[in-house]
Amino acid sequence: MRLLIVDDERPARLKLRHLLAQQDGITAVEEAADGIDALERIASFRPDALLLDIEMPELSGIELAASLPEPAPLVVFVTAYERYACQAFDCDAIDYLLKPYDGDRLARALARLRRKLAAGADGQPAALPPAPLEQLLVSERGVTRVVRVADIQWIETADNYVVLHTAAGSPLLRQTLAGLVDRLGAGFIRCHRRAAVQVGWIEQVVALDKGDGELLLRGGARVPCSRQYRADVMARLNPA
């Protein structure tokens, strides 16, 4: 079982990792320090389940659980607060672990996870293919903004972030370009090592020197299209 610990407090992550080391059947454990970090790690690590704190800066555990891409990992909430229990189970949580907890209580939560995972592998309805996201949550300075995927014209990398270019602005999201394009689905395609575009926004393809090109979008943006990706873009615009 692959587990991702999501908690903004390092001592809490270390305690949970220590207790997990005493449990059988745990094949891999990674950590995320907040909800934004968790979304990036989910895309690359692909955990079976999250051990998820609730009160975290920028993106709470409840908000994270509500915005997980499908098929979503299972969720066990690990929190010091009883008051979120109803909201947690509305998010289809498998268990609600109250701090402080011990190894026996954690073992019971893990047993519930194993039973749920085993049920999914033993003839229950197969998981549907990952569904493209309809919106992204972008947090900045304590404010969480909802960005509709349909409004994203193109995306470019910026250090450890990506820039989501929309008509209303260009917010930053902590995510890798490859991981985000994978989550967004077939409507997006890489057009450069540092950029991807939503195919429906492309209005013109302009040829440049040495096989490179430039994409002109309906909103007026000009997006680089390197020769490495130009054939793929043209094939998507003119499918056989």
Side-chain angles (χ1 to χ4, degrees):
M1 184 162 49
R2 299 168 64 82
L3 300 176
L4 178 64
I5 301 168
V6 187
D7 197 309
D8 62 316
E9 296 183 356
R10 187 170 182 269
R13 299 197 304 272
L14 291 176
K15 174 188 175 179
L16 192 44
R17 183 180 278 275
H18 173 73
L19 291 175
L20 289 172
Q22 304 171 34
Q23 302 291 329
D24 295 328
I26 309 300
T27 57
V29 178
E30 285 199 6
E31 301 176 18
D34 55 53
I36 304 301
D37 186 23
L39 284 173
E40 180 176 351
R41 292 180 185 271
I42 288 167
S44 58
F45 178 54
R46 299 192 181 280
D48 296 307
L50 308 183
L51 300 175
L52 179 58
D53 189 21
I54 291 182
E55 289 203 347
M56 296 185 293
E58 297 190 10
L59 191 65
S60 74
I62 297 293
E63 291 172 325
L64 172 61
S67 60
L68 292 172
E70 294 291 344
L74 302 178
V75 173
V76 169
F77 284 102
V78 185
T79 178
Y81 304 97
E82 296 183 15
R83 61 179 178 270
Y84 298 110
C86 290
Q87 291 175 269
F89 287 110
D90 282 343
C91 296
D92 296 325
I94 301 301
D95 206 339
Y96 194 85
L97 210 57
L98 276 175
K99 302 174 182 177
Y101 54 88
D102 58 18
D104 289 340
R105 180 64 183 90
L106 176 61
R108 294 199 296 273
L110 295 175
R112 290 192 176 100
L113 285 175
R114 291 190 189 96
R115 288 195 294 270
K116 185 70 173 178
L117 290 168
D122 290 340
Q124 295 296 319
L128 295 173
L133 297 178
E134 295 184 358
Q135 63 189 36
L136 297 171
L137 299 180
V138 180
S139 297
E140 184 179 10
R141 297 176 184 174
V143 176
T144 299
R145 173 181 172 186
V146 177
V147 178
R148 294 176 62 247
V149 171
D151 295 335
I152 301 172
Q153 301 174 14
W154 68 290
I155 308 164
E156 66 177 325
T157 60
D159 296 326
N160 295 324
Y161 294 80
V162 292
V163 185
L164 308 176
H165 291 283
T166 74
S170 300
L172 290 171
L173 178 66
R174 187 174 178 181
Q175 173 67 279
T176 63
L177 181 61
L180 181 58
V181 170
D182 183 58
R183 293 174 61 210
L184 292 177
F188 287 77
I189 188 170
R190 292 286 290 270
C191 57
H192 190 275
R193 67 182 180 84
R194 296 179 57 85
V197 65
Q198 184 156 195
V199 176
W201 282 90
I202 300 174
E203 190 170 67
Q204 296 181 40
V205 180
V206 178
L208 301 176
D209 294 337
K210 299 180 181 179
D212 291 333
E214 191 174 54
L215 307 177
L216 274 58
L217 307 189
R218 288 189 284 112
R222 307 176 77 94
V223 182
C225 182
S226 66
R227 61 182 180 275
Q228 177 183 356
Y229 296 97
R230 188 163 179 260
D232 291 340
V233 172
M234 297 302 294
R236 287 290 300 279
L237 291 173
N238 186 30

